[in-house]
Amino acid sequence: MTLETTFATFDFTNPFMNASGVHCMTTDELKELEESAAGAYITKSATLEKRAGNPSPRYIDLPLGSINSMGLPNLGFEYYLDYVLEKQKSQTSPLFFSVAGMSPAENLQMLTAIQESDFTGITELNLSCPNVPGKPQLAYDFGATQSLLEEVFAFFKKPLGVKLPPYFDLVHFDQMAEILNQFPLTYVNSVNSIGNGLVIDTEAEAVVIKPKDGFGGIGGQYIKPTALANVRAFYTRLKPEIQIIGTGGIENGQDAFEHLLCGASMLQIGTALQKEGPAIFERITQELEAIMTAKGYHSIDDFRGKLKSL
Ligand code: RRO
């Protein structure tokens, strides 16, 4: 029995990692992920300059998930670049470095710096932050996404993935897949939170988070069916060189198994990691192994992507 996962040109002991944004803003938090049973981990999406983010309360746990409008709080691009460059000296498995520029130009500037640096890991370009007032989720603008990727791949030669928002229409899956298939992407990560949900405290007759009059990204169990649909839709539409990271509603071994069945290669955990802390990685690897044992599978490749139709 092994959970070993080949991703890009790298081997990981298991497919689990944090979703960017959760438990990864500071080097102390990143260290806890490094010491956990996670197969890999990723840094908080960086902007060029340090940002405080939106006013609190800006994250609330809910019975079936979470709502957040963090607003991209982060310690700035240099902080995370310094961290990954130092870490990679002593670490054999590669690091994931997330960037989320406030504009296409800022994305290009950070990716240029990564290209010119000694960074040997994997870069994730976040095209789907729902929470910066006045800034749309870039990957809902198909033309802007195409143009940005053209500019990026004119110079960027290191492993690169994109973090996408959820889509809800089969035509949108077709259109986005057609764009993504034009580029030498390493992976697609589906999905970011479902943007701009609204959660209400009935007794107080009020919203539960302060930014944007209570509108925020929804995560956790609420979004698993949407996440699975996005993983499956891209797995069945993208060229095989583009792998999938499945994110959305993973909190136990069964959720992980379902994402893998849809075709995911790596699995990211956001809300459930926020609730349970890094110990979740030990529990969930054991739960996935138990399911595989019961089904007689020896490795993830025995069932990855093999979801049956009726
Ligand atoms: O920081 C955030 O508000 C945030 C980001 Br950048 C993101 O990509 N997804 C999310 O749910 N929150």
Side-chain angles (χ1 to χ4, degrees):
M1 160 69 62
T2 174
L3 297 184
E4 207 162 280
T5 297
T6 302
F7 189 76
T9 55
F10 307 103
D11 288 326
F12 297 92
T13 54
N14 69 66
F16 294 105
M17 50 191 297
N18 64 308
S20 179
V22 179
H23 214 93
C24 59
M25 185 140 97
T26 65
T27 55
D28 285 348
E29 288 178 322
L30 290 161
K31 186 161 186 285
E32 290 180 4
L33 292 178
E34 184 196 346
E35 290 166 355
S36 78
Y41 59 97
I42 184 166
T43 54
K44 169 68 185 171
S45 292
T47 49
L48 256 187
E49 305 299 333
K50 180 178 171 163
R51 283 173 58 85
N54 292 337
S56 294
R58 59 191 188 177
Y59 180 99
I60 298 285
D61 278 325
L62 304 166
L64 299 177
S66 64
I67 183 168
N68 89 84
S69 184
M70 302 299 290
L72 252 175
N74 75 93
L75 295 164
F77 177 75
E78 290 295 333
Y79 176 92
Y80 301 103
L81 183 62
D82 288 349
Y83 174 81
V84 293
L85 289 178
E86 185 57 33
K87 250 311 127 197
Q88 71 183 14
K89 290 183 194 159
S90 58
Q91 193 166 309
T92 45
S93 74
L95 292 132
F96 285 72
F97 185 3
S98 174
V99 294
M102 302 294 285
S103 64
E106 188 174 322
N107 279 320
L108 293 170
Q109 197 178 333
M110 290 190 285
L111 291 173
T112 301
I114 292 173
Q115 178 63 34
E116 290 172 356
S117 76
D118 292 328
F119 180 57
T120 55
I122 298 168
T123 303
E124 179 165 295
L125 176 61
N126 182 353
L127 300 179
S128 48
C129 175
N131 299 330
V132 179
K135 299 274 178 197
Q137 291 163 83
L138 192 81
Y140 283 144
D141 183 334
F142 290 59
T145 300
Q146 165 95 35
S147 305
L148 178 61
L149 292 178
E150 282 172 7
E151 290 191 86
V152 166
F153 285 108
F155 69 89
F156 199 81
K157 305 296 172 201
K158 295 182 177 182
L160 182 76
V162 286
K163 177 85 172 270
L164 297 179
Y167 300 99
F168 303 92
D169 193 291
L170 297 185
V171 169
H172 291 162
F173 291 132
D174 292 342
Q175 291 172 342
M176 184 48 67
E178 196 181 323
I179 292 169
L180 299 169
N181 276 331
Q182 297 165 34
F183 299 101
L185 277 164
T186 298
Y187 72 91
V188 160
N189 184 348
S190 288
V191 295
N192 208 319
S193 55
I194 295 185
N196 295 299
L198 186 62
V199 172
I200 292 172
D201 176 340
T202 321
E203 191 169 323
E205 302 179 16
V207 301
V208 300
I209 55 171
K210 186 174 173 72
K212 293 175 65 181
D213 291 329
F215 284 60
I218 306 295
Q221 286 181 44
Y222 295 114
I223 80 165
K224 189 176 76 168
T226 296
L228 292 173
N230 276 259
V231 169
R232 189 65 181 164
F234 285 117
Y235 183 75
T236 53
R237 284 168 177 76
L238 293 176
K239 56 188 179 182
E241 307 89 278
I242 304 180
Q243 289 177 283
I244 316 276
I245 297 183
T247 307
I250 301 177
E251 63 179 49
N252 59 38
Q254 181 189 328
D255 303 323
F257 184 81
E258 291 174 6
H259 268 264
L260 294 166
L261 211 48
C262 287
S265 288
M266 301 288 283
L267 303 169
Q268 293 187 349
I269 305 179
T271 299
L273 168 61
Q274 176 68 34
K275 287 186 182 173
E276 192 171 333
I280 193 173
F281 292 110
E282 188 152 348
R283 174 177 65 77
I284 204 164
T285 50
Q286 287 169 4
E287 289 176 358
L288 178 58
E289 281 176 350
I291 291 171
M292 288 169 59
T293 300
K295 287 175 172 284
Y297 292 131
H298 301 291
S299 78
I300 292 172
D301 286 337
D302 292 346
F303 62 92
R304 185 200 323 284
K306 295 183 180 165
L307 180 66
K308 295 174 196 154
S309 296
L310 297 182

